[in-house]
Amino acid sequence: MTNNNEKAHNEAKKKVKKLKKFYVKLISYIVINTGLFLINLLTFNGYWWFLWVTVFWGIGLIIGYIKQFKFDIFGKKWEEKKIKEYMEKE
């Protein structure tokens, strides 16, 4: 592989790893919260306590998704952009 191909391959490999990690977390979220729902349903006393876990874990999952895939706030791309910007000014 050439240097550019190798770099692209490594970058793609990192993205796939991140995606796989997210999917594992998502599947865990679905399975565990389904189990908690069933436990809550079988022992129902008028209070849906499983929703607390589902909502807050869901918020964490959404934040993790945004952080990893959508918004690269102050990440590597931002740093590279700023470095280029400062170098062009000098």
Side-chain angles (χ1 to χ4, degrees), residues 62-75 77:
I62 290 168
I63 290 170
Y65 176 81
I66 290 170
K67 189 175 163 186
Q68 286 185 351
F69 301 108
K70 294 294 179 187
F71 303 106
D72 190 22
I73 300 170
F74 305 124
K77 288 180 185 177

Side-chain angles (χ1 to χ4, degrees), residues 15-82:
K15 287 180 182 181
V16 169
K17 250 184 164 176
K18 281 184 177 183
L19 187 60
K20 182 180 176 182
K21 188 176 179 180
F22 175 75
Y23 282 145
V24 167
K25 288 178 181 180
L26 181 62
I27 290 168
S28 298
Y29 173 81
I30 292 168
V31 169
I32 291 172
N33 282 298
T34 301
L36 291 175
F37 168 73
L38 292 173
I39 291 169
N40 196 173
L41 187 64
L42 293 173
T43 62
F44 188 67
N45 62 355
Y47 182 66
W48 294 105
W49 54 263
F50 86 97
L51 289 173
W52 289 102
V53 177
T54 304
V55 168
F56 287 108
W57 191 355
I59 291 169
L61 198 61
I62 290 168
I63 290 170
Y65 176 81
I66 290 170
K67 189 175 163 186
Q68 286 185 351
F69 301 108
K70 294 294 179 187
F71 303 106
D72 190 22
I73 300 170
F74 305 124
K76 190 185 276 188
K77 288 180 185 177
W78 178 84
E79 287 178 8
E80 290 173 5
K81 182 180 173 184
K82 285 296 178 186

